């Protein structure tokens, strides 16, 4: 098993919890998959890199986006 030990100022931690986050547009409009798919993916990757969040899986469907992430303990979902 892979050891994923990370550290903050005075602690080390092992992320065991993964969060499944789903973004759904208002009224489930089917606009995500078209021209916005690439730009939404770039924005989500940039935000995750900035906050230290590890993306395990991500998928954009026509009317929603779901992401499986590991979030450090200093951040909230």
């Amino acid at each position: 098993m892979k050891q994923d030990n990370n550290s903050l100022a005075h602690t080390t931690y092992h992320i065991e919890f993964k969060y499944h986050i789903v973004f759904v547009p208002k009224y489930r409009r089917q606009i995500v998959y078209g021209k916005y798919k690439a730009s939404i993916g770039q924005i989500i990757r940039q935000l995750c890199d900035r906050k230290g969040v590890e993306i395990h899986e991500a998928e954009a469907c026509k009317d929603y986006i779901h992401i499986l992430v590991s979030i450090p303990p200093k951040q909230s979902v």
Side-chain angles (χ1 to χ4, degrees), residues 28-50:
R28 290 186 73 101
R29 292 192 176 140
Q30 298 183 359
I31 60 170
V32 174
Y33 200 73
K35 60 184 177 180
Y36 299 115
K37 180 180 177 182
S39 61
I40 290 172
Q42 285 179 334
I43 292 169
I44 290 174
R45 274 187 239 102
Q46 288 174 354
L47 290 173
C48 288
D49 288 341
R50 192 178 303 160

Side-chain angles (χ1 to χ4, degrees), residues 6-40:
N6 296 310
S7 63
L8 295 173
H10 299 285
T11 60
T12 59
Y13 60 92
H14 175 73
I15 298 176
E16 294 181 16
F17 298 107
K18 294 181 175 79
Y19 298 97
H20 184 231
I21 302 171
V22 179
F23 295 104
V24 180
K26 191 173 183 178
Y27 305 120
R28 290 186 73 101
R29 292 192 176 140
Q30 298 183 359
I31 60 170
V32 174
Y33 200 73
K35 60 184 177 180
Y36 299 115
K37 180 180 177 182
S39 61
I40 290 172

Side-chain angles (χ1 to χ4, degrees), residues 64-76:
Y64 64 92
I65 296 172
H66 66 88
I67 304 169
L68 183 66
V69 295
S70 294
I71 300 175
K74 65 181 179 178
Q75 301 289 330
S76 65

